[in-house]
Amino acid sequence: MRIAALANLHYSPQSYDRIREQMSRIRDDAELLVLAGDLTNFGRPQEMESLLTMLVRLRLPIVAVLGNHDYESGCQAELVRMMTDAGIKLLDGTAYERDGVGFAGTKGFPGGFGRGALTAFGEPEVKAFVQAAIDEALKLERAMSQLRTGKRVVVLHYAPIGDTIRGEAPEIYPYLGSSRLAEVIDRHGADVVFHGHAHHGSPDGKTTAGIPVHNVAMQILQSQEPPAVFRVFEV
Ligand SMILES: [Fe+2]
């Protein structure tokens, strides 16, 4: 299966105008589109409505997760309902199988990487923050354990490893993802992992177990030569 992947669309009609032509060619290059979160700028239903009009015209199966921007207005449940009604497979600790390829997805959460990961110690506020990261890892665990396919694709918004956020300011690394997600991925095994969130990160990396991880932030793809708005992967 040829999968087109992109993240951080931050949709507005003006910004979409600049990429409309390239987006219309997705269908020639891929059989399925993965959207790795931050579909909207502020998580407003009006933004989603406008975006869905565009996405439906692509006439391509779409698998997506939400990003932090999609939570900004507190309307995430409504956004999910709108996307589901439009036929988009929204993954939130859930799995989906299509043509022998399994997709497991969840938004993920910040928290840091490896020995630098924040731990649940001290103030209740810190414990609540860490618990949110643990909960997202547990959701990914649940989603991955549902997959029965040979081919497995993981879709996240936050980064599961540090390699694909390299290029961002080191001071903000802990806010860009959580290695708790990578631990789950390595335990269950996958063919490829997609994420976004880090606009100035690096496109390619690997988990400790060697599973390829790709930061498909549109801002990275657009800064490459020639500029692209999506990447295509054969799974
Ligand atoms: Fe984000």
Side-chain angles (χ1 to χ4, degrees):
M1 179 187 283
R2 286 168 304 144
I3 298 172
L6 74 96
N8 307 355
L9 197 52
H10 294 293
Y11 178 83
S12 75
Q14 298 77 10
S15 66
Y16 198 85
D17 264 349
R18 291 198 295 272
I19 61 167
R20 185 184 305 273
E21 203 192 313
Q22 281 169 289
M23 288 295 283
S24 67
R25 289 200 293 268
I26 284 192
R27 201 160 173 263
D28 301 330
D29 296 344
E31 291 138 297
L32 184 140
L33 170 62
V34 164
L35 294 173
D38 282 357
L39 286 78
T40 64
N41 242 337
F42 300 107
R44 294 185 188 125
Q46 305 93 292
E47 293 176 296
M48 182 56 77
E49 193 177 320
S50 183
L51 169 60
L52 287 174
T53 307
M54 300 301 151
L55 292 180
V56 165
R57 285 192 196 140
L58 300 179
R59 290 183 295 132
L60 192 74
I62 299 174
V63 174
V65 297
L66 294 184
N68 53 317
H69 279 250
D70 304 314
Y71 276 71
E72 171 59 17
S73 297
C75 299
Q76 57 275 12
E78 190 175 348
L79 300 192
V80 169
R81 193 167 55 241
M82 292 169 76
M83 293 169 76
T84 305
D85 287 350
I88 292 174
K89 196 70 204 172
L90 193 280
L91 301 179
D92 181 19
T94 48
Y96 171 63
E97 294 182 12
R98 188 181 178 99
D99 301 333
V101 179
F103 297 84
T106 196
K107 174 177 63 62
F109 203 72
F113 302 91
R115 285 187 303 157
L118 190 63
T119 53
F121 182 89
E123 301 92 322
E125 292 84 356
V126 171
K127 287 176 178 159
F129 183 88
V130 172
Q131 190 57 50
I134 293 171
D135 288 346
E136 280 294 311
L138 289 172
K139 280 163 70 179
L140 181 61
E141 179 109 50
R142 191 177 66 204
M144 293 195 78
S145 64
Q146 287 168 13
L147 292 179
R148 296 287 174 265
T149 49
K151 303 277 187 185
R152 301 144 75 87
V153 176
V154 173
V155 186
L156 305 166
H157 180 59
Y158 286 91
I161 60 170
D163 283 357
T164 48
I165 60 173
R166 215 141 275 152
E168 297 277 1
E171 291 87 345
I172 65 166
Y173 275 17
Y175 310 128
L176 298 176
S178 163
S179 57
R180 294 176 197 276
L181 299 162
E183 288 165 21
V184 173
I185 293 165
D186 279 347
R187 208 158 43 240
H188 285 268
D191 292 271
V192 66
V193 182
F194 300 123
H195 74 87
H197 192 53
H199 291 209
H200 305 291
S202 304
D204 307 306
K206 274 185 168 51
T207 64
T208 307
I211 296 170
V213 178
H214 302 289
N215 179 351
V216 290
M218 214 175 68
Q219 297 75 12
I220 296 175
L221 306 181
Q222 288 189 306
S223 70
Q224 292 177 335
E225 213 38 67
V229 295
F230 59 87
R231 264 179 92 181
V232 178
F233 300 84
E234 181 91 42
V235 174

